[in-house]
């Protein structure tokens, strides 16, 4: 198998796929170099909230406190609209391809530390925290998440105090975030809950605050150890257990390698993860440097998540839609609303993305993207309607394909953009096209290729 | 599961693999009918309907003291019990109740109630405990367990996206709120050619997900055709209210009358989150619901389908007993659930009115776990093993 094909697979999993130009240039690169490049993080901007939105948010919160919920709520609804900008900002980062793996890991951890966030400043904070650690150390990531204001609100640690402990965060910390069910007792949950008492959020500032008088300084017995543990101690003790590395490695395997788990491989990955003291980058490097990752059994077997699908298409077609439409398509239509997971267990992924409604929308998505009323298609002047400020750009394709036979065009598109073996008659991609201009023919073949069920896979 | 169900749903259906496709397309399933159990229609009131202003405790002073602004006046209540009556906007339900075709179950909820819409709806749709996270719905697990070879539209969500309760691990429900539109999308000639050409390709074990996508696509294409044809068999002449909910109910009744092989229908009416200015908002919605149900029940009766139908109405939670400063109510806990259908075992009020003097932090205490109702529905209407589907045993209620 050529490095070119391996690189295609690598970028589909470690990033959001490649567009035509990237695919062409990377086709000749070496795999080693690409893996190295993906793991190297170049500088990036954090997601920032404009001061005026922050001010508005503060006003909304203080209004709720002083004048009652109703007054504050209206203002808050205004502020919430800004959540769209954060999602768009993030989708922009995924699309531009500066740090594909970093963004992919951020998306993975966003689903792992699933948290429903309504306030934009808290959403931005959390995603910045995750991005900062997403290829760093898992222990630091967990500790940062335990002090993340949005998570504290979501899992009721705001209500966790010495007098009336709330164990919700402690429970999910173990069940979903680190070690998995069956590796701790109900008593462990209660004791861990006590250790996190007084860990609160300053919602207005969007910061962690430790409320000393609400913290339980007493002795706790947790996973066979005894001490006046605080939250950080609890996380340290949990992460001493090898089961954590297996739990995380299995989830990583399902997400990056294959939804069907090979437990032996999971153990290998977990070993690297545990022995490096939870270095996420080392774990990912191990996976991407292993031959089995590129094996035929693992290629083209993963159903793209809505965000993967959408970002991938956006890259290929270089198209943009109005914010509202994107939120509608990816969130309500396809079922992955960022900052709004189904519950604290995150998106179950794989087949659960697919039902009749989501699949038909997925298969029609290229069409929707290109034929949306306010989308101009560059290079397709004969087609395009009045230009608005959104554009799709097919010029690279037209340049590349204008001298090629239809069947060659189809072959090239499959080569670059389709991962599993075709399970249909290839001729359908380019036969029976009765249109006038060569551009229209090229556009048609692109449509047909990207509308295949096979394009849903990576 | 009864033997007849078993035959119909499993053996014959799974041997469908061996039935030539031309037979399958001609709707061979209808030969075997669908007479066992009942059709289930689920009506979801989203946003947390205020149960106390729906079924009004008009003899209760605490009720009137707690709600000086928004309570329903005693003299306007439609009396259907000694101490409970219908909100006047629910006039449409009066005859259904009085004819013994409706059962009102009070104080339905679950332990450690969650007051987030999202989470509580999740709990109702998955049938989980409040500290448990399931990614399949209770009806989805029914499909997984009892329906591995059923047609893809066996459970129909009248919505543009499939809700969690109908998502199974291997088998899920089917979603469409516009059959004509669905047909247009599914009729994409290119995708039809693709589907057709796929028939000649061998199944590849490593790429079973590709196979799954093809199957879903082909199922959608054939379902779109089936549903479109069935939707043209009978056009209801009943006067449904002119709104989305009325339109959805009409669609359901037309498919039922056309004897479509659909066991479960699901429809949603949203907007019940009445934190402020509740009276106008909730009244409008209750009228929509009551008038819609009246037309729907009448339609089903006229077509002699009502005895074989069970209609469940629920909301993710009720609201607090005390009104708030904005003339609304905030998120609460236990609530009433309605069952409608012919030949109910215990029509009328199933249990006592909520006890307003014994509250949990200002909220109603639940007396009946909603999963007891699900369990009953699975046993009596759907035909299935409730313990397997709900992953726990719940004591039955004997209503249906």
């Amino acid at each position: 198998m050529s490095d070119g094909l391996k690189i295609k697979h690598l970028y589909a999993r470690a990033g959001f796929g490649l567009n035509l130009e990237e695919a062409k240039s990377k086709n000749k690169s070496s795999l080693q170099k690409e893996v190295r490049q993906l793991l190297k993080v170049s500088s990036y901007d954090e997601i920032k909230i404009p001061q005026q939105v922050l001010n508005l948010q503060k006003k909304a919160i203080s209004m709720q406190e002083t004048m009652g919920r109703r007054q504050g709520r209206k203002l808050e609804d205004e502020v919430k609209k800004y959540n769209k900008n954060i999602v768009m900002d993030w989708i922009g980062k995924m699309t531009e391809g500066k740090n594909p793996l970093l963004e992919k890991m951020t998306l993975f951890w966003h689903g792992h530390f699933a948290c429903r966030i309504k306030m934009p400043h808290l959403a931005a904070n959390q995603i910045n925290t995750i991005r900062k650690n997403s290829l760093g150390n898992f222990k630091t990531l967990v500790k940062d998440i335990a002090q993340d204001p949005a998570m504290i609100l979501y899992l009721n640690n705001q209500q966790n105090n010495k007098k009336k402990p709330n164990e919700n965060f402690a429970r999910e910390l173990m069940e979903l975030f680190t070690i998995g069910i069956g590796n701790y007792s109900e008593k462990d949950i209660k004791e861990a809950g006590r250790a996190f008492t007084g860990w609160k959020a300053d919602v207005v500032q969007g910061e962690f605050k430790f409320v000393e008088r609400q913290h339980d300084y007493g002795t706790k017995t947790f996973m066979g150890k005894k001490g006046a543990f605080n939250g950080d101690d609890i996380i340290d003790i949990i992460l001493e257990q090898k089961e954590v590395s297996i739990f995380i490695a299995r989830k990583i395997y399902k997400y990056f390698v294959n939804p069907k788990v090979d437990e032996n491989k999971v153990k290998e990955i977990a070993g690297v993860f545990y022995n490096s003291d939870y270095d996420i980058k080392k774990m990912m490097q191990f996976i991407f440097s292993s031959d089995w990752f590129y094996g035929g059994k693992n290629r083209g077997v993963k159903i793209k998540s809505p965000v993967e699908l959408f970002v991938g298409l956006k890259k290929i077609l270089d198209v943009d839609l109005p914010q509202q439409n994107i939120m509608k398509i990816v969130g309500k239509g396809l079922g992955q609303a960022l900052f709004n997971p189904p519950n604290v267990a995150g998106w179950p992924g794989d087949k659960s993305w697919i039902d009749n409604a989501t699949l038909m929308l997925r298969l029609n998505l290229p069409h929707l993207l290109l034929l949306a009323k306010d989308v101009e298609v560059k290079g397709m002047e004969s087609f395009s309607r009045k230009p608005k400020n959104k554009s799709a750009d097919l010029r690279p394709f037209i340049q590349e394909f204008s001298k090629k036979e239809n069947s060659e065009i189809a072959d090239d598109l499959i080569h670059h953009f389709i991962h599993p073996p075709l399970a249909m008659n290839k001729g359908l991609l380019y036969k029976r096209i009765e249109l006038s201009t060569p551009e229209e023919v090229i556009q048609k073949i692109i449509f047909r290729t990207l509308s295949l069920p096979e394009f849903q896979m990576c | 599961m009864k033997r007849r169900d078993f035959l119909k749903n499993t053996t014959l259906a799974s041997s469908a693999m061996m039935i030539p496709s031309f037979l399958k397309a001609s709707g061979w399933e209808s030969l075997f009918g669908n007479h066992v159990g009942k059709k289930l229609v689920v009506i979801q009131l989203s946003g947390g309907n205020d149960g106390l202003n729906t079924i009004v405790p008009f003899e209760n002073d605490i009720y009137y003291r707690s709600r000086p602004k928004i309570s329903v006046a005693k003299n306007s209540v439609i009396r259907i019990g000694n101490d409970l009556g219908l909100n006047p906007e629910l006039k449409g339900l009066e005859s259904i109740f009085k004819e013994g075709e409706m059962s009102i179950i009070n104080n339905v909820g679950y332990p450690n109630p969650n007051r987030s819409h999202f989470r509580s709806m999740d709990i109702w749709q998955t049938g989980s405990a409040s500290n448990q996270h399931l990614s399949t719905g209770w009806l989805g697990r029914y499909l997984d367990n009892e329906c591995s070879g059923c047609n893809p539209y066996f459970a129909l969500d009248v919505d543009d996206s499939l809700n969690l309760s109908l998502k199974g691990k291997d088998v899920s429900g089917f979603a469409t709120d516009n059959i004509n539109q669905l047909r247009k999308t599914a009729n994409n000639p290119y995708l039809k050619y693709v589907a057709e050409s796929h028939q000649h390709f061998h199944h590849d074990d490593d790429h079973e997900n590709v196979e799954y996508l093809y199957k879903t696509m082909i199922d959608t294409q054939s379902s779109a055709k089936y549903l479109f044809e069935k939707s043209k068999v009978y056009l209801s002449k009943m006067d449904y209210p002119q709104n989305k909910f009325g339109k959805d109910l009409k669609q359901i009744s037309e498919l039922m009358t056309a004897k479509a092989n659909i066991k479960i229908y699901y429809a949603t009416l949203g907007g019940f989150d009445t934190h402020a200015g509740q009276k106008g908002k909730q009244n409008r919605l209750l009228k929509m619901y009551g008038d819609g149900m009246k037309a729907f029940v009448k339609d089903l009766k006229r077509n002699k389908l009502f005895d074989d139908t069970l209609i469940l109405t629920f909301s993710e939670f009720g609201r607090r007993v005390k009104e708030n400063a904005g003339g609304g109510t905030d998120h609460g806990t236990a609530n009433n659930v309605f069952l409608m259908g012919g030949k109910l075992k215990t029509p009328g009020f199933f249990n006592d009115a909520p006890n307003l003097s014994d509250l949990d932090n200002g909220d109603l205490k639940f007396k009946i776990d909603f999963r007891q109702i699900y369990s009953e529905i699975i046993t009596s209407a759907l035909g299935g093993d409730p313990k397997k589907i709900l992953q726990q045993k719940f004591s039955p209620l004997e209503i249906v």
Side-chain angles (χ1 to χ4, degrees):
Chain A
M1 185 183 168
S2 72
D3 267 15
L5 278 179
K6 288 183 183 172
I7 291 167
K8 171 186 168 187
H9 176 64
L10 174 69
Y11 273 89
R13 299 296 179 81
F16 297 87
L18 300 168
N19 65 23
L20 183 66
E21 264 165 282
E22 292 168 328
K24 271 163 50 194
S25 73
K26 296 208 188 289
N27 205 12
K28 292 176 195 90
S29 177
S30 88
L31 181 64
Q32 258 187 328
K33 187 182 140 202
E34 295 299 330
V35 171
R36 217 179 316 129
Q37 203 168 329
L38 275 170
L39 288 162
K40 201 174 71 193
V41 174
S42 37
S43 69
Y44 59 86
D45 297 322
E46 289 205 320
I47 289 176
K48 283 199 190 73
I49 305 256
Q51 193 56 44
Q52 70 207 85
V53 178
L54 282 177
N55 293 343
L56 214 58
Q57 175 73 69
K58 279 177 195 165
K59 203 168 148 199
I61 295 169
S62 64
M63 254 172 112
Q64 292 213 16
E65 280 161 5
T66 53
M67 298 168 70
R69 292 177 77 170
R70 197 155 67 102
Q71 262 78 9
R73 184 164 278 142
K74 264 217 174 99
L75 198 55
E76 200 172 79
D77 283 344
E78 269 315 295
V79 183
K80 264 190 237 161
K81 288 189 188 145
Y82 198 77
N83 269 328
K84 278 202 283 290
N85 297 54
I86 296 180
V87 173
M88 294 314 300
D89 197 346
W90 186 11
I91 286 187
K93 282 184 177 356
M94 299 179 206
T95 317
E96 72 180 7
K98 206 168 165 191
N99 286 306
L101 176 60
L102 186 76
E103 296 306 332
K104 193 62 170 280
M105 294 302 309
T106 306
L107 184 61
F108 170 80
W109 294 121
H110 174 67
H112 181 74
F113 295 107
C115 181
R116 194 172 185 227
I117 316 180
K118 289 183 191 160
M119 289 186 240
H121 70 306
L122 300 188
N125 278 359
Q126 188 182 80
I127 211 63
N128 288 334
T129 298
I130 291 180
R131 182 179 290 101
K132 190 176 74 195
N133 294 299
S134 71
L135 274 171
N137 187 283
F138 179 66
K139 199 180 279 183
T140 319
L141 177 56
V142 177
K143 285 181 182 172
D144 282 1
I145 285 290
Q147 299 194 351
D148 177 75
M151 188 59 86
I152 287 171
L153 294 183
Y154 183 56
L155 292 183
N156 310 99
N157 218 59
Q158 197 76 340
Q159 289 89 40
N160 188 12
N161 57 59
K162 189 163 64 180
K163 274 204 189 121
K164 222 181 150 196
N166 184 308
E167 58 190 42
N168 202 11
F169 176 74
R171 178 184 300 277
E172 306 312 356
L173 171 69
M174 286 184 267
E175 179 180 332
L176 297 166
F177 298 162
T178 57
I179 196 164
I181 211 151
N183 294 305
Y184 52 86
S185 65
E186 283 295 311
K187 176 100 197 309
D188 287 332
I189 293 176
K190 287 211 157 49
E191 296 289 282
R194 288 174 58 212
F196 286 100
T197 45
W199 285 41
K200 301 213 162 183
D202 178 336
V203 180
V204 177
Q205 295 303 325
E207 284 166 4
F208 173 71
K209 74 173 176 202
F210 177 60
V211 184
E212 220 178 292
R213 63 193 152 76
Q214 293 185 5
H215 182 70
D216 182 344
Y217 283 95
T219 305
K220 294 114 192 161
T221 312
F222 179 72
M223 292 190 166
K225 296 198 172 182
K226 227 174 170 162
F229 303 134
N230 65 19
D232 277 345
D233 300 328
I234 292 292
I235 292 171
D236 284 333
I237 297 172
I238 299 173
L239 266 61
E240 280 168 23
Q241 324 296 318
K242 275 211 165 105
E243 282 77 13
V244 176
S245 63
I246 295 173
F247 183 75
I248 299 297
R250 189 179 295 117
K251 201 159 175 182
I252 288 274
Y253 188 92
K254 280 189 189 168
Y255 194 91
F256 287 91
V257 184
N258 195 325
K260 268 199 241 161
V261 177
D262 177 339
E263 289 294 340
N264 289 326
K265 296 286 181 289
V266 167
K267 267 183 213 141
E268 282 182 44
I269 300 167
V272 173
F273 195 34
Y274 190 80
N275 292 333
S276 67
D277 201 21
Y278 293 104
D279 186 325
I280 300 166
K281 193 187 262 191
K282 289 220 169 97
M283 167 170 66
M284 299 317 290
Q285 184 172 20
F286 172 74
I287 294 172
F288 300 142
S289 311
S290 297
D291 275 342
W292 48 256
F293 174 70
Y294 302 93
K297 260 211 305 231
N298 294 330
R299 275 182 287 128
V301 294
K302 180 187 145 150
I303 297 175
K304 291 173 186 166
S305 73
V307 171
E308 286 174 302
L309 175 72
F310 184 80
V311 172
L313 265 176
K314 211 161 118 61
K315 280 181 71 114
I316 294 171
L317 298 174
D318 196 6
V319 68
D320 218 340
L321 286 182
Q323 277 184 16
Q324 270 87 340
N325 296 3
I326 295 181
M327 305 292 283
K328 249 193 213 149
I329 290 174
V330 180
K332 172 107 170 83
L334 297 179
Q336 191 177 23
L338 297 173
F339 300 106
N340 198 352
N343 57 44
V344 62
W347 294 278
D350 200 33
K351 285 198 183 70
S352 81
W353 293 124
I354 304 299
D355 59 58
N356 71 296
T358 59
L359 181 64
M360 290 324 269
L361 180 55
R362 278 166 172 258
L363 299 177
N364 283 294
L365 199 52
H367 238 83
L368 272 177
L369 285 183
L370 276 182
L371 296 184
K373 278 205 181 69
D374 42 4
V375 169
E376 179 204 356
V377 185
K378 282 194 195 124
M380 299 293 299
E381 270 68 27
S382 59
F383 261 40
S384 68
R385 298 150 212 226
K386 288 224 169 85
K388 302 219 168 138
N389 44 13
K390 319 285 171 202
S391 67
D393 196 346
L394 295 186
R395 282 176 303 187
F397 290 95
I398 289 163
Q399 211 172 6
E400 172 81 8
F401 294 147
S402 57
K403 294 209 174 66
K404 289 191 173 171
E405 291 289 322
N406 288 358
S407 66
E408 276 180 274
I409 298 174
D411 283 336
D412 278 11
L413 289 170
I414 292 165
H415 177 74
H416 291 312
F417 304 124
I418 300 291
H419 293 270
L422 277 196
M424 48 77 75
N425 173 7
K426 194 171 74 184
L428 289 173
L429 295 176
Y430 54 88
K431 284 182 186 155
R432 292 195 235 191
I433 294 183
E434 288 137 21
L435 283 164
S436 46
T437 71
E439 286 84 8
E440 283 166 352
V441 172
I442 293 172
Q443 191 198 31
K444 204 87 187 173
I445 303 177
I446 296 174
F447 268 163
R448 290 185 179 185
T449 311
L450 303 184
S451 304
L452 286 178
E454 287 87 334
F455 182 71
Q456 305 302 317
M457 310 295 302
C458 70
Chain B
M1 189 179 211
K2 293 190 189 91
R3 200 180 111 80
R4 270 196 299 166
D5 291 340
F6 182 77
L7 278 176
K8 193 189 68 62
N9 288 344
T10 316
T11 322
L12 289 170
S14 58
S15 64
M17 310 301 168
M18 295 179 288
I19 293 178
S21 58
F22 66 90
L23 267 183
K24 204 175 171 189
S26 72
W28 60 273
E29 300 125 315
S30 61
L31 290 174
F32 302 96
N34 190 18
H35 303 297
V36 182
K38 293 178 182 229
K39 307 270 185 189
L40 173 67
V41 181
V42 181
I43 311 282
Q44 172 181 305
L45 306 179
S46 305
N49 178 37
D50 178 21
L52 285 172
N53 275 16
T54 305
I55 304 298
V56 183
F58 61 83
E59 297 286 12
N60 195 318
D61 292 342
I62 305 175
Y63 167 73
Y64 287 102
R65 272 205 305 275
S66 310
R67 301 182 163 200
K69 273 188 262 168
I70 64 158
S71 54
V72 182
K74 188 170 172 177
N75 59 13
S76 72
V77 169
I78 304 170
R79 302 194 177 198
I80 53 169
N82 296 333
D83 51 353
L84 292 173
L86 293 171
N87 181 309
E89 301 297 334
L90 287 175
K91 198 162 176 19
L93 299 187
E94 185 181 3
S95 60
I96 304 175
F97 186 90
K98 289 192 169 156
E99 283 173 37
E101 290 155 345
M102 176 174 178
S103 191
I104 297 175
I105 313 165
N106 290 308
N107 313 310
V108 183
Y110 51 88
N112 305 313
N114 194 299
R115 286 170 186 77
S116 138
H117 291 292
F118 208 63
R119 181 62 194 135
S120 195
M121 189 56 93
D122 211 45
I123 289 165
W124 275 83
Q125 291 188 341
T126 60
S128 74
S130 78
N131 63 358
Q132 186 189 15
H133 305 281
L134 299 179
S135 53
T136 53
W138 72 285
L139 294 167
R141 290 195 301 277
Y142 161 75
L143 297 174
D144 274 340
N145 273 295
E146 312 289 346
C147 212
S148 61
C150 294
N151 64 62
Y153 42 82
F154 202 64
L156 183 70
D157 192 355
V158 187
D159 199 343
D160 56 1
S161 57
L162 190 69
N163 83 72
L164 181 56
S165 61
L166 290 165
K167 286 191 184 169
K169 190 172 159 290
D170 300 309
V171 187
S172 284
F174 192 92
T176 179
D177 69 342
N178 186 335
I179 292 177
N180 291 331
Q181 184 60 41
L182 169 77
R183 182 166 168 268
K184 265 189 221 153
T185 336
N187 249 351
N188 178 335
Y190 169 64
L191 290 180
K192 284 201 160 165
Y193 285 129
V194 171
E196 206 178 291
S197 87
H198 175 69
Q199 318 261 345
H200 309 293
F201 275 75
H202 289 293
H203 178 84
D204 165 2
D205 276 347
D206 286 339
H207 294 91
E208 64 153 288
N209 271 341
V210 176
E211 200 52 38
Y212 181 74
L213 295 178
Y214 268 100
K215 183 179 177 300
T216 308
M217 179 174 89
I218 293 165
D219 280 351
T220 307
Q221 290 164 337
S222 67
S223 303
K225 186 166 178 281
Y226 179 88
L227 292 173
F228 181 75
E229 281 162 6
K230 285 292 177 191
S231 74
K232 300 292 174 235
V233 173
Y234 165 78
L235 297 179
S236 171
K237 282 159 214 81
M238 190 62 62
D239 212 5
Y240 282 88
Q242 298 287 319
N243 50 51
K244 171 81 168 64
F245 183 64
K247 198 176 137 258
D248 291 349
L249 291 177
K250 188 169 174 215
Q251 179 74 81
I252 293 175
S253 123
E254 290 179 348
L255 287 169
M256 286 174 85
T257 309
K259 301 261 185 279
N261 192 13
I262 300 172
K263 181 83 172 168
I264 301 167
Y265 294 88
Y266 205 107
T268 302
L269 177 60
F272 286 93
D273 195 18
T274 48
H275 286 281
Q278 169 169 314
K279 254 198 139 153
K281 269 188 224 164
Q282 196 204 14
N283 283 352
R284 220 167 23 250
L285 290 167
L286 289 180
K287 185 164 169 44
M288 233 182 251
Y289 171 72
D291 291 357
M293 295 315 286
K294 185 180 178 183
F296 184 53
V297 169
K298 214 166 149 192
D299 209 0
L300 293 184
K301 278 180 154 176
R302 182 183 284 180
N303 292 297
K304 308 216 169 357
L305 295 166
F306 194 54
D307 283 353
D308 295 320
T309 304
L310 181 67
I311 308 167
L312 162 75
T313 303
F314 79 96
S315 192
E316 71 267 36
F317 44 59
R319 306 190 78 85
R320 293 185 76 84
V321 176
K322 258 197 161 87
E323 68 185 23
N324 63 26
T329 47
D330 297 322
H331 302 179
T333 52
N335 205 356
N336 34 49
V337 161
F338 307 150
L339 288 173
M340 295 177 210
K343 297 186 179 156
L344 292 173
K345 276 187 203 145
T346 48
F349 287 101
F350 178 77
N351 54 353
D352 289 343
N355 182 351
L356 302 188
S357 56
D358 178 27
L359 299 178
D360 175 13
N361 222 339
D363 278 321
L364 302 179
K365 286 184 178 166
F366 89 98
K367 296 281 159 55
I368 289 180
D369 193 303
F370 70 103
R371 291 165 293 180
Q372 287 178 270
I373 301 174
Y374 286 180
S375 169
E376 170 96 6
I377 292 172
I378 293 166
T379 313
S380 309
L382 299 176
D385 177 356
K387 197 175 164 225
K388 227 164 129 190
I389 292 164
L390 299 172
Q391 304 177 349
Q392 204 181 322
K393 194 169 158 36
F394 293 93
S395 47
L397 295 176
E398 300 290 324
I399 301 178
V400 184

